[in-house]
Amino acid sequence: MELGALLLVFLVVVSGRDGEDLGNITGLPVCGDCVRCHGAIERNISSKSYRGREASYVVVGAGTSGSILASRLAEAGHEVILLEAGGTTQSEFIREAPITENQTSVFDVPLEWLEICRNPAFEHYQWEVDGSPKVSIAKGIGGCSIHNAMLYMRGVSEDFEEWPEGWQFQDVLPYYTKSENNSNFPVSQFHGKDGPIQISSPHKKFHDSITPRFIEAFQELGYGVVEDFNGEPTNQKPSETGKSGRTGAGYLQFAIREGVRDSSAAAYFGKSHPASVIKPSINFHGHCGNKKKSKKSKNSVKRGDYGSLHIMAHAQATRIIFENKKGDIIARGVNLVRLDSDDKPKCRCTVFARKEVILSAGAINSPKLLLLSGVGPAKQLEKLGIPVVIDVKGVGENFMDGAYAIVQFEAPDLRFQRCEKFEKGAAEGGLLGQSPPTTQRCQKEWQLYLKGGQGLFGTPGFFAGGFMQSPGHSRPNIQLTLHPYDKVNQQPWAFKYGRRSSESIDACRDGPVKCNLTNAHNSERGRIVTVEVAHNLPASRGRVSLQNAHPLTPATLNGSYLSVRSDVEALLWALREVRTIFNTFALKKVIGKELLPGKHINAQALENYIKCATIDTTSDVCENQNAPVVGHLAGTCKMGDLEDSMAVVSPTLRVRGTKGLRVVDASVMPSLPSGNTHATCMMIAEKATDLILQNIQDPFLPPRGNPKPTQILPPPKANSPTPKSPLKHTLGLLGRWYGLILGFALGLLVLAGPHLWRKCSQAGFLGREGKR
């Protein structure tokens, strides 16, 4: 009897359904949708079997790059699973009809981009990051393309001189134009018309009284007037400065389609978008996506098979699954947790990739996931108790982002009023609580917007900008953005400038009911113009690291902003240059006194203002490095050649020392472009699609047995496919349920065998031998 019981227990242990520790997430049940939506898949990847979903490609992150890459791969006929930790954002993902007042998301309306960033009601659409200063990283379908200012600005030719072979400007320009449908300029080497993303310039429909004078002031000082920031460098009007590239001022271009934000996600797989390349099934909270085919738009381009793109929203990746196959480290899948509406984990799941796992989680979360998976600096991982799979010292290093400062002036004759429509939080599905616009004029603007996206709400609220080249730089490194309103009073960090009290900010964190922020643009004091002065090419470098080994703990960012003296000097020069611009004949008659930093702020006080966003002149030294940040986060999974020891990915975007694993997002940039990063992230995704589909090879993976440039270390025991013993391996092949049934059968045989033997003997079934 004891023998049967022991045998039963042994078989259950070997082939039972004990749960795997998925990235330190213990005790969670297995998500039902892992097997319910597309059937059960058994894979003996490691010493334990997993149950999960499978596709040709698994893409982690539905942001700017991930949305494009997943859509293009699905369009090519491959089945793709796209994981996104956030939920739905734009109404494109829940409706198949034109936009109406009752089906409008704050993420749809271009003017509301500042509301998303400042209103605490939308904090759950932001990733939490440990460190100072705080950075804004969107969490939701569309990623940063659903909360940025929609500026479309490519890199210039000189920006790519530091990039590897195959990524020079002439190589990447076709991929910039591939995604573009430009409504302002004809088809050329520099502009496309067949891409999903609509590029337009709203100033032709709506502009203010200061913006044209701002451009004239640049020209008065000898800078060029730039007709097309994304066109040929020679399209710039003659300038006596002799500076190259896009130096000068002009009207900006934005990713806006008929008054609606044209995010990467909406453009490439939106339900009602006329140019989307694929129609996906979207799975929000563990429910299977709708697989019914929808009618195609008459204007739509050729789409891939419906349902070949499966989007799992509220699905946060916790670890990459590796297989060590004869010395090759191969990415086979991703462990994840499904999150509820409060971002709390409710179940765990595993998805498998037949071809590749691709990280598009951004400059913070892509290196974070690599580190959690044992890919990164060995010393850092060992301190946290994470088994080292591959020692790649560049993971999380080379963090790049610029800082900016604000200059403000009174503008008594300013004919502009910024309006707000949304003041409440967002519900699941993207439809938002709404409140009436604040003034009669804004109410009229809102009614205009409902008639095809017209008027102020269909614009980002600013229209022009400029580029300057500070001393010591070979290309334009300073970007100016003109906001014809009090932008400081729209920001959560406005108290740093002494314009709000910290107590009012704390009240806002408790919700919009207690939030009593002054809408300066609706008062007489609101006749203010703001110039945002950004340094886009900083020399300072930071680092992304882990706090601990738990995957739901926010990553730590040490941005090291303004840690290199030249970065501070570039901004000091730029602030003085802005003062000169606003003292020109074109602007002097319509501009009043300088409000920020103030005409009296110079020398050390001006440096303090840049570093700490404060006008406190009592301190000689500013110790708190807390300037507002540009938000062009990049570089933490740097792309480089074989000789670059800090490179994390190769020119084909493969992760060093692995197979079946790539990174496709801003983190691979070796250096920043001189403009906004959004367009370059789209370009990277388009080019990556060709690299993947054409299976472009490179010599990045070292030969077996060669520890240079990467020493391949043994993977964690939990991921080893080698069975611990022949007996356990043989029994494990029987499968979970087969082993369980066999265990019960053998147990019953041992328990009931003697009794059956006696009965058979007495009945004479065993013949003479049985009667002995």
Side-chain angles (χ1 to χ4, degrees):
M1 184 172 181
E2 290 83 5
L3 179 62
L6 288 172
L7 183 60
L8 175 61
V9 171
F10 173 75
L11 289 171
V12 170
V13 168
V14 170
S15 58
R17 302 174 61 122
D18 52 321
E20 172 77 344
D21 178 6
L22 301 183
N24 296 331
I25 301 295
T26 58
L28 293 176
V30 176
C31 302
D33 62 306
C34 279
V35 294
R36 187 172 63 249
C37 296
H38 297 281
I41 297 167
E42 299 289 345
R43 293 289 298 273
N44 189 22
I45 295 297
S46 68
S47 59
K48 297 181 180 180
S49 295
Y50 291 83
R51 181 178 289 265
R53 295 166 62 177
E54 187 177 53
S56 296
Y57 297 95
V58 173
V59 180
V60 180
T64 298
S65 300
S67 296
I68 294 175
L69 179 67
S71 299
R72 289 297 193 192
L73 292 174
E75 181 188 24
H78 298 283
E79 187 174 16
V80 182
I81 294 176
L82 178 59
L83 306 179
E84 171 53 50
T88 186
T89 50
Q90 293 183 268
S91 54
E92 277 281 358
F93 311 128
I94 59 170
R95 63 175 170 83
E96 297 194 29
I99 198 166
T100 64
E101 184 165 15
N102 294 326
Q103 283 193 325
T104 305
S105 161
V106 69
F107 302 103
D108 292 325
V109 184
L111 188 64
E112 297 300 318
W113 67 275
L114 266 178
E115 183 72 8
I116 299 169
C117 296
R118 73 165 183 166
N119 196 327
F122 303 111
E123 283 184 348
H124 62 289
Y125 286 100
Q126 303 282 335
W127 281 95
E128 183 180 354
V129 179
D130 176 62
S132 180
K134 296 297 182 183
V135 293
S136 180
I137 308 173
K139 184 179 183 180
I141 296 177
C144 288
S145 67
I146 53 92
H147 83 160
N148 63 13
M150 297 152 287
L151 259 169
Y152 183 80
M153 190 75 67
R154 300 179 194 151
V156 296
S157 178
E158 300 94 323
D159 291 337
F160 298 94
E161 292 176 358
E162 300 177 27
W163 290 43
E165 184 179 352
W167 290 87
Q168 301 304 296
F169 185 69
Q170 67 271 16
D171 302 314
V172 302
L173 182 58
Y175 294 103
Y176 273 120
T177 60
K178 184 178 181 179
S179 62
E180 179 188 12
N181 179 6
N182 199 301
S183 60
N184 296 330
F185 300 97
V187 175
S188 68
Q189 178 187 0
F190 293 89
H191 290 295
K193 286 282 188 182
D194 298 326
I197 302 283
Q198 183 78 50
I199 306 301
S200 60
S201 295
H203 77 277
K204 295 184 177 180
K205 297 181 179 180
F206 193 102
H207 65 82
D208 62 281
S209 57
I210 296 294
T211 295
R213 291 179 176 269
F214 174 76
I215 297 174
E216 290 175 17
F218 260 76
Q219 194 172 19
E220 186 177 329
L221 290 178
Y223 288 99
V225 174
V226 183
E227 301 292 340
D228 178 9
F229 279 114
N230 296 306
E232 293 185 69
T234 55
N235 71 347
Q236 186 174 288
K237 290 185 178 180
S239 167
E240 295 178 1
T241 63
K243 295 177 180 178
S244 61
R246 54 165 58 115
T247 303
Y251 289 105
L252 302 170
Q253 300 170 39
F254 300 88
I256 298 175
R257 178 185 291 272
E258 297 178 354
V260 177
R261 173 190 288 271
D262 217 17
S263 72
S264 297
Y268 279 77
F269 54 73
K271 287 187 175 182
S272 63
H273 199 284
S276 59
V277 302
I278 193 74
K279 296 300 183 185
S281 63
I282 304 181
N283 180 333
F284 286 110
H285 283 291
H287 305 292
C288 300
N290 180 16
K291 292 186 179 181
K292 295 181 181 180
K293 291 190 176 182
S294 60
K295 294 181 179 179
K296 295 183 179 180
S297 168
K298 294 180 180 180
N299 299 323
S300 63
V301 298
K302 184 178 179 180
R303 297 184 174 93
D305 294 336
Y306 182 87
S308 57
L309 173 59
H310 310 292
I311 302 174
M312 295 178 68
H314 301 287
Q316 183 169 340
T318 59
R319 195 186 68 190
I320 303 163
I321 301 171
F322 290 103
E323 177 185 7
N324 188 338
K325 187 175 183 181
K326 297 181 179 179
D328 290 334
I329 307 299
I330 307 172
R332 294 298 194 188
V334 176
N335 287 335
L336 61 96
V337 293
R338 300 306 297 269
L339 307 173
D340 60 21
S341 57
D342 295 323
D343 276 350
K344 295 180 179 179
K346 64 176 184 176
C347 61
R348 56 186 171 84
C349 182
T350 302
V351 291
F352 295 99
R354 290 186 290 269
K355 293 181 179 290
E356 293 188 19
V357 173
I358 305 165
L359 306 188
S360 296
I364 301 294
N365 288 314
S366 283
K368 176 188 174 184
L369 187 56
L370 287 175
L371 292 169
L372 288 169
S373 306
V375 179
K379 291 183 179 179
Q380 181 187 158
L381 298 176
E382 289 166 354
K383 287 180 181 178
L384 297 174
I386 298 175
V388 178
V389 176
I390 307 173
D391 182 8
V392 184
K393 62 182 181 180
V395 176
E397 304 294 334
N398 193 49
F399 173 83
M400 299 178 290
D401 187 24
Y404 74 87
I406 290 289
V407 183
Q408 282 195 330
F409 299 89
E410 285 184 342
D413 296 327
L414 178 63
R415 297 189 302 274
F416 185 84
Q417 180 185 17
R418 186 178 174 87
C419 300
E420 304 295 344
K421 173 63 178 171
F422 298 94
E423 294 181 359
K424 299 180 181 179
E428 178 60 57
L431 302 182
L432 309 181
Q434 301 177 11
S435 59
T438 51
T439 67
Q440 186 175 4
R441 179 182 175 184
C442 290
Q443 290 174 7
K444 290 181 179 179
E445 290 292 343
W446 180 247
Q447 293 305 314
L448 268 177
Y449 181 73
L450 294 178
K451 297 176 182 179
Q454 303 176 43
L456 178 61
F457 282 98
T459 77
F462 65 97
F463 311 97
F467 285 86
M468 302 187 301
Q469 188 172 314
S470 68
H473 280 266
S474 60
R475 61 188 189 274
N477 61 309
I478 300 295
Q479 181 176 1
L480 305 185
T481 308
L482 180 72
H483 299 269
Y485 54 89
D486 183 4
K487 184 173 186 281
V488 167
N489 215 45
Q490 301 295 310
Q491 297 285 11
W493 40 255
F495 68 90
K496 298 177 187 176
Y497 290 103
R499 299 288 291 281
R500 290 177 178 162
S501 66
S502 59
E503 289 78 13
S504 69
I505 298 299
D506 291 335
C508 288
R509 292 195 179 101
D510 295 330
V513 176
K514 297 181 181 180
C515 185
N516 188 23
L517 303 181
T518 303
N519 288 323
H521 52 276
N522 290 328
S523 67
E524 288 300 319
R525 190 174 158 277
R527 297 184 184 275
I528 293 173
V529 63
T530 305
V531 182
E532 197 174 278
V533 185
H535 185 209
N536 285 343
L537 301 176
S540 303
R541 294 292 183 268
R543 181 189 184 200
V544 173
S545 58
L546 300 178
Q547 295 188 65
N548 54 48
H550 197 286
L552 299 187
T553 301
T556 295
L557 170 63
N558 179 5
S560 297
Y561 291 91
L562 302 175
S563 58
V564 177
R565 179 64 192 175
S566 62
D567 293 345
V568 179
E569 291 174 348
L571 284 173
L572 283 169
W573 175 87
L575 290 184
R576 296 187 182 106
E577 194 74 357
V578 169
R579 285 172 169 172
T580 303
I581 291 171
F582 276 79
N583 196 39
T584 58
F585 179 80
L587 285 171
K588 188 162 37 177
K589 291 185 178 180
V590 295
I591 292 297
K593 67 179 180 180
E594 179 182 316
L595 299 175
L596 284 176
K599 192 174 181 179
H600 62 289
I601 302 296
N602 283 291
Q604 185 62 51
L606 190 60
E607 185 169 329
N608 289 358
Y609 175 78
I610 291 172
K611 290 182 177 180
C612 300
T614 178
I615 53 176
D616 179 16
T617 59
T618 60
S619 174
D620 292 333
V621 179
C622 177
E623 297 179 355
N624 181 18
Q625 305 288 319
N626 205 24
V629 300
V630 174
H632 298 169
L633 284 58
T636 49
C637 296
K638 177 185 175 183
M639 171 172 46
D641 296 319
L642 187 64
E643 296 77 16
D644 187 348
S645 62
M646 294 302 293
V648 177
V649 301
S650 71
T652 62
L653 306 182
R654 289 183 172 90
V655 174
R656 178 183 287 269
T658 70
K659 290 186 176 181
L661 179 62
R662 301 187 203 232
V663 180
V664 180
D665 56 33
S667 67
V668 306
M669 296 182 189
S671 60
L672 283 168
S674 55
N676 303 72
T677 51
H678 178 55
T680 301
C681 287
M682 292 193 286
M683 173 275 291
I684 290 172
E686 291 282 13
K687 183 171 173 63
T689 303
D690 278 356
L691 293 175
I692 293 168
L693 294 178
Q694 297 173 18
N695 195 26
I696 303 297
Q697 299 295 318
D698 57 40
F700 199 79
L701 189 67
R704 291 181 199 148
N706 184 359
K708 297 178 181 181
T710 301
Q711 181 182 5
I712 299 180
L713 302 181
K717 292 182 179 180
N719 292 333
S720 173
T722 305
K724 292 183 178 180
S725 67
L727 178 60
K728 183 173 181 179
H729 177 68
T730 302
L731 293 173
L733 292 176
L734 296 175
R736 290 173 178 156
W737 294 111
Y738 294 110
L740 190 62
I741 294 170
L742 179 60
F744 275 114
L746 291 176
L748 290 173
L749 181 62
V750 172
L751 294 173
H755 179 71
L756 291 174
W757 183 275
R758 288 194 298 270
K759 289 292 186 180
C760 291
S761 299
Q762 293 173 2
F765 292 148
L766 299 179
R768 295 179 180 177
E769 292 183 359
K771 293 180 180 179
R772 289 179 182 176

